[in-house]
Amino acid sequence: MTIMLDTELTDALPELATRRGEAERRLPPHRGSLDAALLAHALVAVLDEIDYGIVLLVDGGARIATINHAARSALDDHHPLLIARGALEARSPADLALLRQAVDEAARQNRRRLLTLGSGAHRSSMAVVPVALGDAEAPAVLVVLGKRAVCEPLSINGFCRSHGITGAETRVLMALAGGVAPKQIARQLGVALSTIRTHIISLRAKTGAASIGALLTRVACLPPLRCVLRGSCGAPSGPHE
């Protein structure tokens, strides 16, 4: 597998940075004077904090310029997309044809597409978006992968701490955000269904949500808060009961 590393991205971005033109000239002098290497490192760091998988394709969509941490994690053995020889590919010929068509239309016709590839439990959606690069002959193409979860666990933990939600209630909220029904949550946690309902009532009271649906909508809209270790940070850390 060949992926452009952060240091390679630093070498590739100076030409793109010089095309910032008028946008950069509108910045205050101390900001506009930032060199391309610093901007490149900042871009890499920012992309890794986003909870959507992002793959930036250049050369008409034929080569990966950069890929963020969320995309690296998402493109596992089950995802319909994969990386081969520094390019974004698909596992099945049918999916590959759809992907290449969408990337070509983005690069050459400035079209945006939403694709759903794969089958069964491994179906995944993604947006294919053209990104203008000044006077470049063809725009870069941004592939944004759909999320596998409504919200980052660390974001939910932070939300719960800010509302005084207990550890048990946090586990219930995380399960609800993952689409698990209350009866199944009760079985998973080994408690009575009435206990889960009590936690849900408490969650609504502490957050001021009119319904559990309204609460889940708020959770879905939380900003990403990624674990600094880029590992599993999903264990509830709310206050003890």
Side-chain angles (χ1 to χ4, degrees):
M1 178 184 298
T2 303
I3 305 175
M4 181 170 287
L5 301 177
D6 294 351
T7 53
E8 293 175 293
L9 174 63
T10 300
D11 296 333
L13 281 184
E15 181 180 353
L16 302 183
T18 60
R19 295 173 178 166
R20 290 161 56 90
E22 294 182 1
E24 186 169 278
R25 286 194 291 273
R26 287 196 294 269
L27 292 173
H30 67 285
R31 294 185 179 180
S33 62
L34 291 178
D35 61 37
L38 180 57
L39 288 172
H41 285 302
L43 173 62
V44 169
V46 169
L47 290 180
D48 276 343
E49 293 302 322
I50 297 174
D51 56 350
Y52 283 92
I54 293 177
V55 185
L56 180 66
L57 307 176
V58 293
D59 297 340
R63 180 169 61 89
I64 293 176
T66 190
I67 175 172
N68 72 345
H69 180 271
R72 293 189 193 101
S73 298
L75 297 180
D76 56 19
D77 292 339
H78 303 294
H79 199 280
L81 299 182
L82 73 159
I83 296 171
R85 300 174 297 278
L88 189 64
E89 305 283 351
R91 297 185 186 278
S92 79
D95 284 347
L96 181 58
L98 290 173
L99 175 65
R100 287 181 174 173
Q101 179 183 1
V103 170
D104 185 71
E105 289 178 352
R108 303 183 186 282
Q109 302 176 37
N110 203 38
R111 290 186 178 179
R112 298 168 178 249
R113 289 277 302 275
L114 184 66
L115 297 179
T116 300
L117 306 179
S119 60
H122 304 305
R123 287 174 64 84
S124 298
S125 296
M126 61 213 66
V128 181
V129 182
V131 179
L133 295 179
D135 58 355
E137 293 184 1
V141 177
L142 193 66
V143 179
V144 183
L145 307 179
K147 294 198 297 184
R148 293 181 172 179
V150 168
C151 182
E152 287 288 324
L154 202 58
S155 295
I156 297 179
N157 267 318
F159 175 80
C160 289
R161 285 195 299 270
S162 69
H163 288 84
I165 292 171
T166 69
E169 292 164 353
T170 299
R171 287 188 285 273
V172 171
L173 182 55
M174 284 188 173
L176 290 170
V180 183
K183 287 184 179 180
Q184 182 62 26
I185 297 174
R187 286 194 291 269
Q188 290 177 356
L189 298 182
V191 298
L193 177 58
S194 59
T195 300
I196 300 302
R197 289 173 173 163
T198 298
H199 287 326
I200 291 174
I201 292 172
S202 179
L203 285 167
R204 290 178 52 192
K206 290 179 178 180
T207 60
S211 65
I212 194 62
L215 175 57
L216 293 179
T217 297
R218 288 178 60 183
V219 168
C221 294
L222 290 174
L225 193 59
R226 303 297 301 268
C227 179
V228 67
L229 299 177
R230 301 301 183 211
S232 176
C233 298
S237 57
H240 295 292
E241 293 87 340

